[in-house]
Amino acid sequence: MKTTLKHILSVLLFSSLVTLLPAEVAGQDLTITGTVISEMDEEPLPGVNVQVKGTNIGTSTDVNGEYEIQISDGLEGEVLVFSFIGYADHEEEIDGRETIDVALEADIGWMDEVVVTGYGERTERDLSASISTVSGEELEESVASRDVAEMLQGQVPGLQVTRSGGGTGTSAEIELRGRGSIGASSSPLFVVDGVIGTPRHVNPNDVESISVLKDADATAQYGARAANGVVLINTKSGQRGETRLNVNTGLGVSNKNTGNFSVLNAQELYGLQEQFRPEIQQEWAETDTDWQDHAFQTGLFQDYDVSISSGTERTRYYVSGGYHREQGHLDGDNFERITGRVNVSHDVMDNLEITTNFSARVEESDNNTFGAAYQAYTNLPWDDPYNEEGELRTGLESDWIGRDNNNFLYPRQYNYNESAWQSYTGNVRLDWTILPWLEFRTTNSATFHYSESESFSDARTPAGADDDGSMFRSEGLSRNLTSTNIIEGESTFDQIHTIGGLLGFEFESSRSTGVSASGIGAAPGLSVLNIMSEPDGVGGGVSESAFIGGFVQAYYDYDDRYSLNTSFRRDGSSVFGADNRFGNFYSIGASWMLSSESFLTDVEAIDILKLRASYGTTGNAAIGNYQAQGIYSYTQSYDGRPGGVPDRLGAQHLTWEVARTTNLGIDIALWNRVELDIDLYNRDNTDLLQSVPVEATTGFTSQMDNIGTVNNRGVEIALTTHNITGDFNWSTSVNFSRNRNEVTELFEGEAMNVGNQRIEEGEDLRTWYMRKWAGVDPETGDPLWEREILDAEGNVEDVELTSNRGEATRQKVGTATPDFTAGVRNTFHYRGFSLTGQINIVQGKDVYHSGRTLFDSDGGYINYNYMDIEEHGWSRWEEPWSEREEGRSPENAPDVDPDHTHPRPMVGGNSNAQETSSRFLEDGSYIRLQTARLSYDLPPAFIERIGAAGITLSVQGDNIWTSTDFSGMDPETGLGGTIGTQNPVPQRVLFNIALSL
Amino acid sequence: MNFKKLTTNIALMAVLLLLFSACDIQDSLELTPHDGVSNEEAIESVDDMERVTQGNYALIINESGGVFAWHYPRQYHEMIEMPGDNVTLPGTTIDPLFEMYTYASTSDQPHISNIWNISYKVIYGANTIIRADENGDIQPETPAEEDRLDQVIGENYFLRALMHFNLANAYAPPYTHGENNPAVPYIDIPGEQVEQPERNTVGEVYDRVIEDLERSSELMNEPKSNAYASSEVADALLSRVYLYMEENEKAIEYADRVIDSGRYNLVESSEYPDYFHQPPENNPETIFAYKHTSEQDREFSAIGSMYFTSEGGTGWGEMFPSKEYRELLHEDDLRWEFIQEELDEDGEPIMHEGQPTFYMTKYAHQTEDEPLLSSPVVLRKAEMYLNRAEANAKLGNESQAIEDVNLIRSRAGLQGDQLYSTGDLGEHDTVLDVVLEERRLELAFESHRSIDVFRNHRTMERDYPGSHQQHGAVTIEPDDPRIVYPLPEREVDLNPNL
């Protein structure tokens, strides 16, 4: 009893994270020592994990491959497991021995790497599910970023990651296996150390591995919210053995990369406008300002990380701190982040482990660009930012020509716009091995987010002048509590039958609150709400959600050859209607290890041949809170009194969106050199949660409903080849994904227009729907669009051209979904050198370049600058076709001008030619050399002399080269495919030193 | 003590407990919003009705839609005023007012759907209250409460009529072009029951508007401030509706009711320049205005933003009073006070795309701090005189018509030969011409002009500088189809009956 109390006490002390208790353990009476070597070269293997099977008792080998492990009474008959990446697991019965030496056999490492799946860990060999993993090392070699999600770009087949800009605060958009949801979020679910989280909040240096769970079998345990896949991020933990200190310093510079895009200079703009603008003045062109020069700069990227990790017999820890700073290549765009993490696990008893992860991040961001990313392209070269005295102009001067009367440099002197975030996540997990075959696990977490944002407009600037200075501040606080409890058992009979299962329950509750206030009238130089002479507005809100789920899973494995996995779960979410909160989800998966069959074991070439199949359902509830409830909102007022405003009709029938996924996969490993995984999938997202447009005559313009089905089917191929092994080592990884998206069912079959896209049965979810541009009238220079003539049945009978945009017919003119995406990575190693290159390919995506409305408007906006169209082989209409050559007559003119792409320019634009049409829809395909990285590990002899364990120097380039026909700055757009004026993703060069002691 | 057994038991109990607690936790899924009331509970008393009615007014001024932060008062104003001849755009603009100004609106433009959406949302709000009353959901307990109920129902009839009437002005030809032209659906049932309604004719919409307004005028019993509807507000709108229908006696009858009610006075000439620079309730001439307080200071999205740039630089200030309008104003006319010429340090006009810069200030400076804050006037007493004058002119009561015109002109500081008599119509051929010109001068920029021209079968002549010149929008005949806005593309997509 005394022992028990002590154990309970140590649990309590430990949870409080005050101290790392070196627990005293009673009853040790056997010490085993030994050496672990590699069978291949008989060299000692450091860092091999040595563990008593079925317990948490373990250690790891030192630099000489030696280990020492103490085991307690009653364990002499147990088995020691030796495991090391790249080698097959080796098991030895202790059988009372005190010395156990082992030689490990090399293995097709990837098959036995531990894959973190749902709530547990399995080896690839056992998996019937479709899972891709990315290791921490692979992340290191990818594009430099503070956002883990962004670093996954091009690395995982089926995962489309895209950045919608190069601002320091921009987050990557992510989709797995195509867009399945319309109104609800189509992003995969992110889970950090077992708790739903945000990738952006994790320091990439802390990441041990990332698992991307794709099919229903893989996501079963997150089934309720896994309709769009799950990405698991696992952070590092301490290992038994010596203390390791890692210091990582990265420094880099970034520069704008505007690709194929440029705007006109003063003379060029004058040359263009004098053709059609009667009021133009020659002296304007005497000023030639390059606004991009004023907007952009060489940015600085800094990253410093320190981590320390170690482990004793019973306690393992990993502690890290990081500082990250980005001075954007857009002046005034800055970002700073401090992260900290403490991951500790401790064996309270031989069968009870407690793990505590605590992480914190503090971020600050300045957004003091004041429209620079827009004005850099639209401001006129004719306007000088400075007056004759060299002072900045406001843009309001009567001789300022540019349309927006803005000079972003002016407010930057006095105004600011800042945001900051803090988040803290604490996570306590208990692993209790109740019986050798039975384990209970509980994971409980609390996350707190605090956000603040403040902006100030000084009385000296146009934005604050009328108010005599104004400021706005908002603060938000949210908390999220989760608890996951699982009881899991696994047992093997007759050495070939393994049967296992788990039963679990989870609960989540979220609440966020916010408050905002603004005031006007500020004493110069001061900016805090308290000094504002008049309150201007106040706001605030509260939002809550809750979620519960129960699940059960069972699996059976026969002789590592056949395995079967089934699961069922039932979940409830507060966002749905009272009678429809709960949904049921299930999955079944099976795999067959063909290469273990007797008829294939003799085939030398085949190391692994495995077939996988799975089917299952998963859910999606990612819509706003309270959507099922019709309400009158009291957020608006009239005459200073609040009024109840009908906000939505309510939909009590609103319920889960369900994805039904079939997955077939094959895993092949040949000649110990080639690894090939192919997956075929078919996923139907049914009962789509969608904000359905309704006739405004009902009083509402949209209503949330479960409507329709979207199908995604496709193929994913991941191929890794070890082309050359040995001293010089070359390996290649290629991944390829082709996804076909189709809306298969809509409510009453009725198509819906959403912005410039159309959701229609039989079509891609991101189908562009706009007036179809035909070109330029050869005789008049007017724009031409297609007009469909319909017969009595409504079928298209004929197509004619019209210069009247109102008469033009909207048509399906392309999709924003790529035909395929691919990533190619080559890695070369020679002695300490290593060179990695990552190429990303996106093919067949139509991008709507909406920015051209502004800077390619044929006179629509005379006081905006124009883009250079000649670079793209385009030209403007100048004279009638019939007058361009002798002997032509207007009657013989072709329908569409063969020589020119752009209409005759005129003040105010030519017949709305700059308004939305397929004219600005472009091929956004690209091939990009995303990253190249050269690193060098200093030779061990040198390292040892200075007492370090390793030093790696590296240099890396990001966004190095792009091939594309796209006329804009960057073909990499958000998933929606629309691109306006952009702060494009920069080019970066980075230097990095990693030191480990 | 068998430790292993104990731990096993504890573990199993813990798991069972957690699983059972799931049943209790189900209640935690019952969450309701904090900033609203469920539809079922929203209207349960007269107090509730008053609050939701307040919300209906709020919708008119607050609800925004489309890509820009536009609001009903501004967009409706642009739809009526931009096609008129009181305004000129020297350059170009990315604001859709350009399409309205050049008669080039297409069905996918944001203002086209925004005005439609907001109108029907207000109509929905009004219908739910009217329906709750018709169903007898609310039983007043005291005579005082009964009066309040009547008032609030009356206000909702008024709002429903106003929204439909304005919709017809925007999306249908004038009543005088034919009662049977298609207009907009008249919705008087709650939204849940609305299913793909057809367009009512102009005549039907006007009939229903009159019906609602008359009922509204009868029901309302409280002389509320001019930020709200009251009996006289309904009468004033009826006068305008009848004028548009050329039911001239009726137009006069209702104008008289308002004029004789004693509630309103023309502001004095000396105060007239300040007419638009104060909160509406301080103005004895205003019958009804969309009241904006500091909370609704729209700055760059305010109506005034198009016409005016503050010293601090707020406002686009890109739309000027037209040269023709300026030339019609006599130099002594006080209405020059609403126009402000911009001069540089040397006293020279600041030129903008070849035109001198003139700001129009009817939508500016409701307070000193908020240069673009204004409460757009919907109905004011001067219009009642001009309604009566126009109706009288059409009925041949020439001297009565001239009398009202002279009243307005005197107030504008004009006297002597600047006033008219039946024998001296200045350069005008008919008394109606005199009345219409005065209406143009007095109610300029107050969302009347294009309607007044076309309902009188007159031609819009815009023979003055401005970018409309290059876009085929100089002379627009009353039968030009471009004078009617297209129905929103989005609505036609959703409702084939439109």
Side-chain angles (χ1 to χ4, degrees):
Chain A
M1 202 60 212
K2 191 176 156 225
T3 340
T4 321
L5 271 178
K6 191 190 254 175
H7 289 157
I8 291 170
L9 187 66
S10 57
V11 172
L12 289 173
L13 281 173
F14 204 80
S15 317
S16 68
L17 260 181
V18 175
T19 173
L20 313 178
L21 263 195
E24 191 190 310
V25 180
Q28 295 167 356
D29 58 1
L30 181 61
T31 303
I32 304 167
T33 57
T35 309
V36 181
I37 57 168
S38 161
E39 192 204 41
M40 206 159 50
D41 52 10
E42 301 194 340
E43 289 292 312
L45 286 174
V48 175
N49 208 28
V50 185
Q51 196 162 12
V52 180
K53 193 175 184 181
T55 73
N56 294 315
I57 303 168
T59 183
S60 56
T61 56
D62 62 16
V63 277
N64 300 316
E66 288 165 5
Y67 72 94
E68 182 181 300
I69 187 167
Q70 292 176 321
I71 57 172
S72 51
D73 242 349
L75 289 178
E76 305 94 333
E78 292 291 336
V79 172
L80 280 187
V81 183
F82 298 82
S83 52
F84 190 56
I85 288 173
Y87 292 81
D89 279 5
H90 184 97
E91 295 189 2
E92 283 276 334
E93 281 183 30
I94 299 172
D95 203 17
R97 286 182 288 169
E98 290 189 5
T99 306
I100 301 176
D101 295 332
V102 173
L104 291 185
E105 282 178 52
D107 191 40
I108 322 301
W110 60 280
M111 263 292 153
D112 287 302
E113 272 176 36
V114 171
V115 175
V116 182
T117 74
Y119 294 108
E121 293 180 352
R122 308 287 299 273
T123 57
E124 283 242 18
R125 193 183 290 280
D126 300 335
L127 278 180
S128 52
S130 176
I131 297 181
S132 298
T133 54
V134 177
S135 68
E137 289 82 45
E138 283 168 316
L139 273 194
E140 236 167 66
E141 289 167 2
S142 69
V143 68
S145 171
R146 68 191 167 92
D147 185 357
V148 173
E150 190 176 323
M151 298 168 101
L152 291 174
Q153 195 175 40
Q155 308 245 25
V156 177
L159 192 71
Q160 206 195 343
V161 180
T162 178
R163 297 166 290 183
S164 52
T168 60
T170 315
S171 296
E173 288 180 56
I174 296 201
E175 249 171 37
L176 186 65
R177 292 184 162 178
R179 186 179 181 201
S181 299
I182 304 175
S185 166
S186 62
S187 165
L189 181 74
F190 282 86
V191 176
V192 182
D193 289 337
V195 177
I196 292 169
T198 311
R200 223 161 56 83
H201 297 177
V202 179
N203 182 345
N205 286 292
D206 288 340
V207 174
E208 173 75 33
S209 71
I210 292 176
S211 301
V212 180
L213 316 184
K214 298 175 183 170
D215 66 350
D217 191 19
T219 58
Q221 304 201 357
Y222 289 101
R225 285 177 283 184
N228 291 296
V230 179
V231 179
L232 303 181
I233 299 174
N234 294 287
T235 62
K236 290 174 180 162
S237 53
Q239 299 292 329
R240 287 184 189 88
E242 284 179 34
T243 303
R244 282 175 209 168
L245 175 71
N246 290 298
V247 180
N248 195 65
T249 304
L251 271 178
V253 291
S254 55
N255 280 297
K256 85 171 157 79
N257 177 6
T258 44
N260 296 332
F261 180 85
S262 63
V263 290
L264 302 182
N265 67 24
Q267 274 307 323
E268 291 166 341
L269 182 65
Y270 184 83
L272 165 64
Q273 290 207 357
E274 72 174 342
Q275 299 165 31
F276 66 91
R277 183 175 183 179
E279 304 293 337
I280 198 165
Q281 291 169 36
Q282 202 156 9
E283 70 264 20
W284 288 349
E286 288 164 14
T287 303
D288 189 6
T289 304
D290 185 338
W291 285 98
Q292 291 185 35
D293 270 359
H294 291 288
F296 294 101
Q297 62 180 2
T298 297
L300 194 62
F301 183 98
Q302 290 162 273
D303 201 47
Y304 309 99
D305 292 279
V306 180
S307 70
I308 182 162
S309 70
S310 187
T312 63
E313 199 69 8
R314 305 187 75 92
T315 304
R316 297 155 297 283
Y317 68 87
Y318 171 87
V319 179
S320 78
Y323 175 72
H324 177 93
R325 178 160 186 235
E326 271 179 83
Q327 187 182 23
H329 60 287
L330 184 67
D331 198 2
D333 173 26
N334 297 306
F335 177 84
E336 228 175 332
R337 177 171 77 179
I338 296 170
T339 52
R341 171 172 292 277
V342 180
N343 291 353
V344 191
S345 53
H346 174 70
D347 303 332
V348 182
M349 291 181 285
D350 292 347
N351 62 346
L352 179 64
E353 183 187 31
I354 180 168
T355 304
T356 306
N357 295 353
F358 178 78
S359 66
R361 76 164 176 138
V362 177
E363 288 181 1
E364 273 178 31
S365 139
D366 301 335
N367 180 14
N368 294 328
T369 62
F370 302 105
Y374 182 88
Q375 294 171 40
Y377 311 115
T378 56
N379 270 10
L380 292 178
W382 301 334
D383 284 317
D384 196 323
Y386 296 94
N387 64 18
E388 280 159 15
E389 283 82 47
E391 293 158 345
L392 282 168
R393 301 164 77 200
T394 60
L396 291 172
E397 292 77 9
S398 57
D399 56 346
W400 187 276
I401 310 157
R403 179 193 137 75
D404 292 342
N405 292 102
N406 263 327
N407 175 7
F408 56 85
L409 297 171
Y410 188 85
R412 194 177 291 163
Q413 303 175 98
Y414 308 106
N415 299 352
Y416 65 80
N417 200 337
E418 295 170 351
S419 306
W421 303 266
Q422 296 171 25
S423 54
Y424 304 95
T425 301
N427 187 347
V428 177
R429 170 174 149 163
L430 277 174
D431 283 87
W432 192 343
T433 310
I434 302 165
L435 296 169
W437 58 271
L438 188 67
E439 187 176 298
F440 171 69
R441 229 174 16 251
T442 173
T443 310
N444 303 281
S445 79
T447 302
F448 295 89
H449 288 290
Y450 169 73
S451 63
E452 56 183 316
S453 124
E454 185 171 295
S455 59
F456 176 73
S457 299
D458 192 276
R460 286 164 287 190
T461 63
D466 289 329
D467 294 334
D468 197 19
S470 66
M471 91 174 277
F472 169 84
R473 181 173 172 84
S474 70
E475 295 181 14
L477 189 64
S478 73
R479 65 126 175 87
N480 192 55
L481 304 176
T482 68
S483 177
T484 305
N485 304 281
I486 293 169
I487 185 155
E488 182 174 17
E490 183 184 284
S491 193
T492 304
F493 305 98
D494 302 336
Q495 304 203 326
I496 51 171
H497 303 282
T498 302
I499 185 159
L502 60 79
L503 187 68
F505 165 75
E506 63 185 344
F507 172 75
E508 181 184 348
S509 147
S510 303
R511 177 185 166 91
S512 55
T513 59
V515 60
S516 66
S518 55
I520 57 176
L526 296 177
S527 58
V528 66
L529 277 174
N530 210 19
I531 60 131
M532 307 310 282
S533 62
E534 253 182 86
D536 191 36
V538 62
V542 181
S543 187
E544 294 167 319
S545 68
F547 186 91
I548 57 178
F551 49 90
V552 54
Q553 186 176 8
Y555 56 90
Y556 169 72
D557 182 272
Y558 176 78
D559 196 21
D560 282 347
R561 274 189 280 166
Y562 312 103
S563 73
L564 184 71
N565 185 21
T566 62
S567 73
F568 172 79
R569 67 178 290 155
R570 180 168 171 80
D571 291 276
S573 165
S574 63
V575 302
F576 298 126
D579 304 329
N580 295 287
R581 292 211 170 113
F582 283 86
N584 297 326
F585 308 96
Y586 63 91
S587 74
I588 181 161
S591 69
W592 179 19
M593 184 66 88
L594 268 161
S595 49
S596 295
E597 296 288 351
S598 52
F599 55 87
L600 278 180
T601 43
D602 295 337
V603 182
E604 281 283 313
I606 300 176
D607 304 321
I608 299 279
L609 180 59
K610 184 166 107 172
L611 300 177
R612 294 179 274 112
S614 72
Y615 176 77
T617 63
T618 46
N620 190 0
I623 53 171
N625 290 340
Y626 317 120
Q627 289 292 320
Q629 303 173 35
I631 62 160
Y632 273 74
S633 110
Y634 273 80
T635 54
Q636 299 186 6
S637 72
Y638 180 70
D639 190 20
R641 293 163 57 195
V645 168
D647 200 55
R648 53 178 174 265
L649 276 171
Q652 281 301 322
H653 57 280
L654 206 64
T655 191
W656 293 85
E657 176 176 317
V658 179
R660 297 163 201 282
T661 310
T662 309
N663 196 88
L664 296 174
I666 182 165
D667 300 333
I668 305 169
L670 302 169
W671 306 295
N672 219 348
R673 274 179 187 272
V674 178
E675 295 148 21
L676 175 67
D677 295 354
I678 302 174
D679 276 274
L680 297 172
Y681 60 87
N682 184 67
R683 178 176 57 144
D684 286 307
N685 284 48
T686 59
D687 286 339
L688 289 174
L689 287 163
Q690 158 72 6
S691 172
V692 182
V694 295
E695 310 138 56
T697 39
T698 61
F700 298 88
T701 50
S702 67
Q703 181 168 14
M704 196 51 100
D705 216 333
N706 289 102
I707 284 181
T709 303
V710 171
N711 176 270
N712 279 286
R713 56 185 184 275
V715 57
E716 289 163 6
I717 301 169
L719 172 69
T720 301
T721 55
H722 303 281
N723 308 321
I724 299 174
T725 52
D727 242 9
F728 178 75
N729 192 308
W730 172 30
S731 62
T732 306
S733 296
V734 179
N735 69 71
F736 170 90
S737 325
R738 173 155 176 37
N739 182 67
R740 164 98 200 275
N741 178 289
E742 186 188 339
V743 179
T744 47
E745 191 195 331
L746 289 173
F747 180 63
E748 293 183 348
E750 276 178 38
M752 264 180 290
N753 298 328
V754 181
N756 294 323
Q757 294 181 343
R758 181 173 177 86
I759 299 174
E760 184 178 322
E761 281 184 7
E763 301 293 333
D764 188 288
L765 195 47
R766 291 198 173 105
T767 295
W768 294 110
Y769 187 64
M770 46 181 75
R771 289 166 173 82
K772 189 169 178 186
W773 180 257
V776 175
D777 186 314
E779 285 301 292
T780 63
D782 289 341
L784 292 172
W785 293 271
E786 284 190 10
R787 178 189 183 190
E788 292 179 341
I789 313 292
L790 304 181
D791 64 15
E793 276 90 55
N795 299 315
V796 180
E797 193 175 58
D798 196 9
V799 174
E800 62 179 37
L801 300 183
T802 173
S803 289
N804 181 343
R805 184 170 173 278
E807 287 177 4
T809 317
R810 281 171 300 160
Q811 304 178 42
K812 290 167 281 196
V813 287
T815 75
T817 304
D819 294 339
F820 69 83
T821 59
V824 180
R825 171 197 284 255
N826 276 291
T827 309
F828 304 90
H829 288 288
Y830 180 68
R831 294 181 185 265
F833 288 96
S834 139
L835 177 67
T836 308
Q838 167 84 32
I839 292 172
N840 292 345
I841 302 165
V842 172
Q843 176 62 41
K845 173 178 182 171
D846 294 316
V847 170
Y848 183 63
H849 190 183
S850 67
R852 286 177 63 192
T853 292
L854 304 173
F855 37 63
D856 189 16
S857 72
D858 325 300
Y861 310 114
I862 44 175
N863 286 330
Y864 278 155
N865 201 357
Y866 279 70
M867 70 186 277
D868 187 343
I869 62 167
E870 284 165 21
E871 272 182 55
H872 309 291
W874 300 334
S875 65
R876 291 178 210 282
W877 186 96
E878 280 167 358
E879 56 175 348
W881 176 85
S882 56
E883 291 167 21
R884 286 175 214 159
E885 268 177 42
E886 291 286 323
R888 283 181 175 175
S889 74
E891 295 77 48
N892 302 332
D895 289 344
V896 177
D897 197 313
D899 305 321
H900 299 291
T901 51
H902 281 47
R904 173 170 57 98
M906 56 197 284
V907 173
N910 192 335
S911 317
N912 287 324
Q914 77 279 6
E915 298 290 334
T916 308
S917 78
S918 65
R919 177 185 183 191
F920 298 147
L921 194 66
E922 301 183 31
D923 183 359
S925 305
Y926 68 92
I927 300 177
R928 171 169 288 172
L929 177 54
Q930 173 86 335
T931 297
R933 182 175 192 262
L934 176 67
S935 73
Y936 176 57
D937 295 329
L938 294 186
F942 174 75
I943 303 282
E944 274 170 31
R945 209 160 6 150
I946 62 165
I951 297 178
T952 306
L953 307 175
S954 64
V955 56
Q956 172 172 344
D958 285 350
N959 190 12
I960 300 165
W961 168 87
T962 306
S963 165
T964 181
D965 289 337
F966 182 60
S967 73
M969 302 133 207
D970 188 348
E972 186 176 336
T973 67
L975 294 165
T978 296
I979 200 157
T981 55
Q982 217 183 355
N983 171 14
V985 176
Q987 226 160 28
R988 278 211 188 105
V989 181
L990 298 116
F991 301 90
N992 197 82
I993 302 174
L995 167 75
S996 60
L997 294 172
Chain B
M1 167 142 282
N2 184 331
F3 180 69
K4 214 169 202 176
K5 198 165 180 184
L6 180 71
T7 54
T8 311
N9 288 338
I10 292 174
L12 289 173
M13 271 166 61
V15 170
L16 287 174
L17 241 159
L18 282 164
L19 290 173
F20 282 122
S21 63
C23 310
D24 292 335
I25 285 175
Q26 286 203 17
D27 292 342
S28 64
L29 299 183
E30 296 284 340
L31 298 172
T32 50
H34 291 254
D35 56 3
V37 180
S38 76
N39 287 349
E40 295 73 31
E41 295 163 347
I43 303 172
E44 291 182 332
S45 66
V46 177
D47 285 350
D48 285 344
M49 283 182 154
E50 286 175 348
R51 280 190 282 267
V52 171
T53 304
Q54 197 74 10
N56 290 338
Y57 291 102
L59 274 175
I60 299 177
I61 62 161
N62 286 325
E63 190 77 352
S64 66
V67 281
F68 296 89
W70 289 328
H71 304 88
Y72 183 95
R74 166 165 169 175
Q75 285 187 294
Y76 181 72
H77 169 89
E78 289 183 353
M79 287 172 91
I80 304 304
E81 203 61 46
M82 294 302 113
D85 50 10
N86 292 337
V87 291
T88 178
L89 181 73
T92 64
T93 177
I94 58 170
D95 191 302
L97 73 84
F98 188 77
E99 280 75 45
M100 305 182 228
Y101 174 68
T102 55
Y103 287 81
S105 288
T106 53
S107 57
D108 62 339
Q109 276 157 358
H111 57 280
I112 298 286
S113 56
N114 207 24
I115 284 298
W116 182 278
N117 296 351
I118 296 172
S119 301
Y120 281 109
K121 189 154 194 174
V122 176
I123 290 165
Y124 171 89
N127 281 334
T128 52
I129 295 172
I130 293 168
R131 181 54 56 103
D133 179 54
E134 284 173 357
N135 290 347
D137 294 348
I138 313 295
Q139 293 300 330
E141 284 164 9
T142 61
E145 202 171 80
E146 197 166 333
D147 284 349
R148 279 170 58 210
L149 180 64
D150 285 347
Q151 171 70 25
V152 79
I153 299 298
E155 286 183 51
N156 282 291
Y157 277 120
F158 172 80
L159 290 172
R160 181 164 90 180
L162 176 67
M163 290 294 111
H164 280 113
F165 178 59
N166 285 350
L167 279 169
N169 288 334
Y171 300 98
Y175 185 92
T176 49
H177 291 204
E179 288 170 44
N180 293 322
N181 284 319
V184 297
Y186 199 96
I187 305 292
D188 58 0
I189 52 173
E192 310 74 286
Q193 296 165 26
V194 173
E195 269 181 41
Q196 306 206 328
E198 290 179 13
R199 298 174 76 164
N200 289 93
T201 64
V202 175
E204 286 163 351
V205 171
Y206 271 68
D207 286 349
R208 299 298 310 276
V209 165
I210 288 169
E211 201 180 302
D212 280 351
L213 287 175
E214 284 177 344
R215 195 176 318 171
S216 154
S217 173
E218 279 165 32
L219 282 169
M220 289 190 282
N221 48 55
E222 189 189 336
K224 285 181 120 173
S225 95
N226 54 20
Y228 300 91
S230 53
S231 185
E232 291 77 12
V233 179
D235 292 343
L237 187 59
L238 275 166
S239 163
R240 188 192 289 178
V241 173
Y242 281 124
L243 182 76
Y244 285 11
M245 296 168 80
E246 298 199 330
E247 296 234 5
N248 297 315
E249 287 90 354
K250 284 277 195 186
I252 294 167
E253 178 192 329
Y254 280 97
D256 281 341
R257 274 207 207 184
V258 179
I259 292 166
D260 300 339
S261 72
R263 278 194 69 189
Y264 312 100
N265 298 306
L266 286 188
V267 302
E268 298 294 325
S269 301
S270 56
E271 291 162 18
Y272 189 46
D274 262 341
Y275 189 106
F276 297 95
H277 305 160
Q278 49 191 322
E281 59 269 27
N282 295 356
N283 196 310
E285 184 174 328
T286 300
I287 299 167
F288 180 58
Y290 299 130
K291 185 176 175 186
H292 286 56
T293 63
S294 294
E295 204 162 324
Q296 288 103 22
D297 183 9
R298 303 283 177 225
E299 303 193 335
F300 273 90
S301 15
I303 298 181
S305 167
M306 296 178 292
Y307 295 109
F308 178 70
T309 302
S310 75
E311 281 175 28
T314 313
W316 296 111
E318 57 193 1
M319 201 85 209
F320 302 160
S322 68
K323 184 160 178 267
E324 185 180 305
Y325 179 78
R326 298 196 311 269
E327 284 172 359
L328 278 177
L329 280 182
H330 186 267
E331 57 182 328
D332 298 333
D333 200 317
L334 282 174
R335 291 172 290 209
W336 269 110
E337 297 288 335
F338 307 128
I339 296 171
Q340 173 184 323
E341 185 169 19
E342 291 295 289
L343 304 174
D344 63 16
E345 301 92 17
D346 309 325
E348 292 296 312
I350 293 173
M351 301 300 285
H352 186 69
E353 299 300 322
Q355 287 202 55
T357 302
F358 285 92
Y359 289 150
M360 192 284 289
T361 60
K362 279 190 174 179
Y363 298 95
H365 283 303
Q366 180 169 311
T367 66
E368 232 168 79
D369 289 345
E370 291 146 319
L372 289 169
L373 179 62
S374 73
S375 295
V377 175
V378 181
L379 291 157
R380 60 181 171 111
K381 195 175 187 185
E383 185 199 340
M384 296 301 113
Y385 289 112
L386 291 163
N387 287 354
R388 188 165 75 179
E390 185 179 330
N392 272 323
K394 287 173 180 169
L395 289 170
N397 305 326
E398 298 196 341
S399 58
Q400 283 148 297
I402 293 291
E403 195 181 322
D404 281 336
V405 168
N406 281 343
L407 181 68
I408 297 301
R409 287 181 75 77
S410 318
R411 196 269 297 266
L414 299 171
Q415 47 193 321
D417 60 358
Q418 287 305 314
L419 301 180
Y420 300 106
S421 65
T422 42
D424 174 14
L425 298 180
E427 290 167 9
H428 303 284
D429 296 335
T430 65
V431 172
L432 185 59
D433 290 346
V434 169
V435 173
L436 289 179
E437 185 184 285
E438 200 53 37
R439 189 176 176 91
R440 174 180 181 183
L441 294 176
E442 179 65 20
L443 302 179
F445 318 111
E446 293 178 43
S447 318
H448 290 275
R449 183 58 186 163
S450 67
I451 300 173
D452 289 338
V453 170
F454 295 126
R455 69 181 168 83
N456 282 305
H457 299 282
R458 299 197 170 209
T459 301
M460 189 71 77
E461 287 285 2
R462 305 205 290 179
D463 193 11
Y464 52 82
S467 54
H468 61 285
Q469 292 279 355
Q470 290 145 320
H471 291 270
V474 177
T475 305
I476 298 94
E477 300 294 341
D479 57 358
D480 191 318
R482 291 180 296 169
I483 72 163
V484 178
Y485 288 102
L487 298 195
E489 187 169 70
R490 183 185 170 282
E491 299 301 317
V492 178
D493 285 348
L494 289 167
N495 177 3
N497 293 330
L498 287 178

